[in-house]
Amino acid sequence: MGDTTSQRSSAILETTPELPLFDLRLREQDLQAVAEVLRSGWLTMGPRTKAFEEAFAAQLGARHAVAVSSCTAALHLAYLAAGVGPGDEVIVPSFTFAATANAVLYCGATPVFAEIVSRERPSLDPEDVERRITPRTKAVCVVHYAGYPAAVDRLRELCDARGLQLIEDVAHAPSATLAGRKLGTWGLAGTFSFFSNKVLSVGEGGLLCTDSDEVAALARSRRSHAMTSGTWDRHEGRTDTYDVVGLGYNYRLDEPRSALLLSRLEHMEEDIARRRELSARYHRLLGEIPGLIVPFAGSDLADSSCYVMAVMLEREGLQAQVARRMREQGIQTSIFYPSIHRFSAYRERFPDLSLPITELASQTELTLPLFPHMSDADQDRVVDALAQALELEAGQ
Ligand SMILES: Cc1ncc(COP(=O)(O)O)c(C=O)c1O
């Protein structure tokens, strides 16, 4: 393992399967960057957060990057910046993590769930989005599922034509592109996640990017209780006092995580390059297994950040059994994602909503292990175990 540290070697995670879904490996320089902050004695948002924001914005090609405590917080601020409030509707996919829709509810607005295109292309369907627009629709939020670009160009045209704001949930897709343009820069704002299993992970953290000076100003203000100055400004003697000029939140990121992000950002492209290699190999090997659909097969992986490796079992009713057989082989799988509208809290709000393509995807999807230091042999184990599990289940 050399000069790195890994979750896999941690004694606290004794229950981790031999081959986990995701494994984080930090470099010695990452540990040093954090140790330096801890020794500095300044831990809340300050100069390292600013340095990280500048580096991230430059890499993305966006005018502004505002670091926050999570992607959920960034989504909340993005919806507020889009003017979303009580009585409004925001069109979102249901085939995503709950945060995409929850943040709409934080604004007192209603999420309107739209379909994905297909199991082969499980991204928001622009045609279904168009069908669901009403006079109350304020915004559309597109998710770049698994790191692969959704049809954000068509959604942009649609939103422009209908006077709607477009938000990109880019939690899965740092550095991914469509037509040479980075994801996250197509709409009013893009929201990134640095949660522990993400491409750029530090445990918890998020970021809102935007080209709009007004949106950036709103996000900067609201992430810290809409105070006119921060603790760092006062520490630096720039001002002694502050006013509170709106309803804000504590969505600040802290300095240890900013330092870790800054350090890890230097290697993000290298990590993504390895993810692409592994995903290309997965696509090739999995494409030969009968009974499987491989989403985004044939797409250009250079456009994707290859965040997770999703497969869909052609037949319904096998998901739990195949996952169980894989776990018995020491391989962790997951479901990205159960449909949001089928969760108890959402079913109460939308008891009659039916989204057949999304529901079928949720019932047949399995997410396979993928992380940059995974070996080809690890991958072969996953592919063989999956092929065997499917064969056994098909014979039942
Ligand atoms: C698509 C999507 N949106 C939003 C989030 C929320 O991110 P965070 O955990 O940083 O709040 C996630 C994270 O899991 C996600 O996958």
Side-chain angles (χ1 to χ4, degrees):
M1 200 164 290
D3 63 351
T4 60
T5 182
S6 161
Q7 284 185 358
R8 263 209 269 185
S9 61
S10 162
I12 344 170
L13 295 179
E14 273 164 2
T15 54
T16 303
E18 291 158 56
L19 201 44
L21 203 61
F22 175 74
D23 190 45
L24 176 62
R25 190 171 276 191
L26 298 178
R27 295 166 171 89
E28 188 55 37
Q29 73 169 67
D30 302 329
L31 305 181
Q32 274 174 16
V34 177
E36 207 177 286
V37 184
L38 297 178
R39 286 193 200 99
S40 80
W42 187 268
L43 300 188
T44 191
M45 193 170 72
R48 287 164 189 92
T49 308
K50 189 162 181 284
F52 168 65
E53 289 176 341
E54 285 169 4
F56 195 90
Q59 206 155 315
L60 186 66
R63 258 173 82 76
H64 303 281
V66 183
V68 287
S69 50
S70 68
C71 180
T72 308
L75 280 164
H76 185 192
L77 296 175
Y79 292 147
L80 290 176
V84 174
D88 293 333
E89 293 175 353
V90 180
I91 302 178
V92 297
S94 178
F95 194 62
T96 173
F97 183 61
T100 317
N102 283 350
V104 176
L105 293 171
Y106 298 167
C107 301
T110 304
V112 171
F113 294 107
E115 271 288 19
I116 49 173
V117 177
S118 63
R119 288 197 292 169
E120 286 76 9
R121 195 140 210 104
S123 316
L124 192 59
D125 178 1
E127 284 173 22
D128 198 49
V129 169
E130 186 161 19
R131 281 192 286 272
R132 290 174 198 271
I133 294 173
T134 75
R136 288 180 297 282
T137 309
K138 194 72 164 218
V140 174
C141 182
V142 58
V143 175
H144 299 289
Y145 174 81
Y148 296 78
V152 68
D153 48 353
R154 288 179 56 202
L155 288 165
R156 173 77 201 245
E157 274 171 29
L158 176 64
C159 287
D160 286 350
R162 304 294 291 266
L164 305 175
Q165 297 292 0
L166 176 64
I167 306 293
E168 288 179 271
D169 180 340
V170 218
H172 296 184
S175 192
T177 52
L178 180 70
R181 180 166 168 183
K182 285 263 163 68
L183 303 184
T185 65
W186 285 80
L188 182 70
T191 63
F192 292 88
S193 174
F194 309 127
F195 178 65
S196 65
N197 65 7
K198 293 293 188 285
V199 170
L200 182 63
S201 55
V202 294
E204 302 285 353
L207 182 141
L208 178 149
C209 72
T210 182
D211 282 337
S212 154
D213 296 348
E214 294 79 46
V215 171
L218 182 141
R220 285 188 195 288
S221 168
R222 300 292 180 97
R223 77 173 158 183
S224 193
H225 288 290
M227 289 188 288
T228 49
S229 72
T231 315
W232 177 250
D233 298 319
R234 293 193 289 281
H235 178 76
E236 290 285 280
R238 281 193 272 275
T239 168
D240 291 329
T241 184
Y242 62 86
D243 190 12
V244 170
V245 294
L247 178 61
Y249 311 87
N250 180 353
Y251 285 165
R252 293 184 297 267
L253 191 64
D254 57 33
E255 290 285 274
R257 283 179 294 171
S258 296
L260 188 53
L261 280 163
L262 197 51
S263 177
R264 298 211 65 214
L265 185 64
E266 274 181 41
H267 295 277
M268 185 177 80
E269 290 301 334
E270 213 178 291
D271 287 349
I272 292 175
R274 176 64 185 148
R275 285 174 174 279
R276 288 183 180 134
E277 264 174 34
L278 288 162
S279 300
R281 196 163 179 276
Y282 257 145
H283 278 237
R284 198 169 67 246
L285 297 172
L286 295 167
E288 288 168 14
I289 301 179
L292 267 192
I293 296 169
V294 182
F296 307 108
S299 64
D300 187 352
L301 298 189
D303 290 336
S304 171
S305 54
C306 295
Y307 163 51
V308 288
M309 186 62 228
V311 292
M312 308 269 176
L313 312 180
E314 246 167 37
R315 263 181 52 199
E316 271 183 272
L318 303 183
Q319 190 185 45
Q321 300 296 13
V322 171
R324 181 183 55 78
R325 287 190 190 277
M326 303 272 295
R327 184 163 273 279
E328 282 167 5
Q329 300 292 317
I331 296 166
Q332 185 187 8
T333 61
S334 184
I335 300 169
F336 279 53
Y337 287 99
S339 307
I340 301 180
H341 70 284
R342 304 301 296 161
F343 285 131
S344 307
Y346 278 87
R347 245 197 336 234
E348 280 168 19
R349 288 172 189 266
F350 308 100
D352 303 322
L353 178 62
S354 156
L355 296 169
I357 309 172
T358 294
E359 287 159 30
L360 184 61
S362 293
Q363 284 155 19
T364 55
E365 197 274 347
L366 277 184
T367 307
L368 307 177
L370 178 64
F371 45 90
H373 55 278
M374 191 177 182
S375 67
D376 289 2
D378 286 339
Q379 251 194 326
D380 291 340
R381 261 189 69 192
V382 176
V383 173
D384 290 349
L386 180 58
Q388 199 181 56
L390 267 173
E391 205 176 295
L392 289 167
E393 287 305 321
Q396 301 266 312

